[in-house]
Amino acid sequence: MPELPEVETSCRGITPYLKGATILGARVSQPKLRWMVSKEIIEINQVKVIDVTRRAKYILIKLDYGWLIVHLGMSGSVRILPQDSPINKHDHLDLILDSGQILRYTDPRRFGAWLFAPTLTDHPLLAHLGPEPLSDDFNETYLMSVIEDLKNKRKPSMLIIKPWLMDNRVVVGVGNIYACESLFEAKISPLRLVVSLTSDEIRCLVRIVKLVLTRSITQGGTTLRDFTQSDGSPGYFAQQLFVYGRHNEPCKSCGQLIESLKQAQRTTFYCPICQT
Ligand SMILES: [Zn+2]
């Protein structure tokens, strides 16, 4: 599944081709994605692209009127191709650019989204998102204040750190891989109660989340295949992982076997020795 680093890398990859270009029209071969592709996209005609940005795992394409909100879902990818590129089975949508190129959306599982919004203010998909993990708004003071609020609730909160870290209202874009890896590197057990974290641990966790995501984006920038390459999708990058997907393999730090368990329907991987 494309996680925040892949979305960020995709965004950076397509921006030079989109920014300042005019979208002449769209070719939609399959409008049924997670939701129906907005009719404003299907009917798009002669619209200039002002900018491309990202919020959480949404690619936001700013037009001279309104926005395109793009989500890659479970298996989506975007590429820039020549206009006459043959359309394959999982290619669902092309935006035709005045450069003679197209922005092609490919998505075998069709959980992605292509929506139009006149404004992003109060958009239901974006309204309740927490801070960006790589922004200055995600810092120790912020996280501490969120935890203090939990402590002040009448009943002491039973929230567990791993699913909490993946909650978009707390911080966006920390998916399963990055939650597992960050907790390992911060040496915090995924089973800990949020309210039990010390200020040192919170400080460490903030630093590590930023580090793990930044490292992945840097790796992605170098290993993700060219966005203008026509054979197949860009593919999501393989990474150096300490715990994710390594059940029963030795911990790279202490040699203990990595364990796994289900938390909030997601598989958590952790080292029972290194993480306390
Ligand atoms: Zn270990």
Side-chain angles (χ1 to χ4, degrees), residues 6-21 49 51-53 58-61 68 70 72 77-81 95 97 101-105 114 224 226-228 234:
E6 281 98 345
V7 179
E8 175 65 24
T9 309
S10 299
C11 231
R12 293 182 189 180
I14 61 173
T15 298
Y17 301 93
L18 283 184
K19 199 171 170 176
V49 178
D51 204 1
V52 183
T53 55
Y58 296 98
I59 297 172
L60 304 173
I61 302 175
L68 303 184
V70 179
L72 303 177
S77 63
V78 283
R79 278 171 302 155
I80 302 288
L81 299 174
L95 292 182
L97 307 174
Q101 293 167 305
I102 52 171
L103 173 72
R104 172 159 291 174
Y105 181 67
W114 278 79
L224 198 62
D226 190 347
F227 275 84
T228 60

Side-chain angles (χ1 to χ4, degrees), residues 189-206:
S189 164
L191 301 163
R192 289 272 298 278
L193 289 181
V194 174
V195 292
S196 77
L197 294 182
T198 65
S199 52
D200 279 351
E201 286 173 322
I202 294 167
R203 191 175 310 123
C204 176
L205 186 60
V206 167

Side-chain angles (χ1 to χ4, degrees), residues 49 69 76 87 114 117 130 134 169-171 175 187 215 218 261 268:
V49 178
I69 303 176
I87 297 172
W114 278 79
L134 298 177
R169 290 166 300 184
V170 175
V171 57
K187 300 185 183 347
R215 200 162 55 202
T218 311
L261 56 89
T268 299

Side-chain angles (χ1 to χ4, degrees), residues 28-42 69 92-93 105 110-116 125:
V28 179
S29 34
Q30 174 54 275
K32 278 172 72 179
L33 301 176
R34 178 168 182 186
W35 300 290
M36 290 296 278
V37 173
S38 297
K39 79 167 180 8
E40 289 89 345
I41 297 176
I42 295 171
I69 303 176
H92 306 309
L93 187 152
Y105 181 67
R110 289 202 274 127
F111 276 108
W114 278 79
L115 302 172
F116 173 84
L125 290 175

Side-chain angles (χ1 to χ4, degrees), residues 162-177:
K162 161 78 174 359
W164 183 76
L165 193 56
M166 292 178 64
D167 183 340
N168 269 336
R169 290 166 300 184
V170 175
V171 57
V172 299
V174 182
N176 201 23
I177 296 177

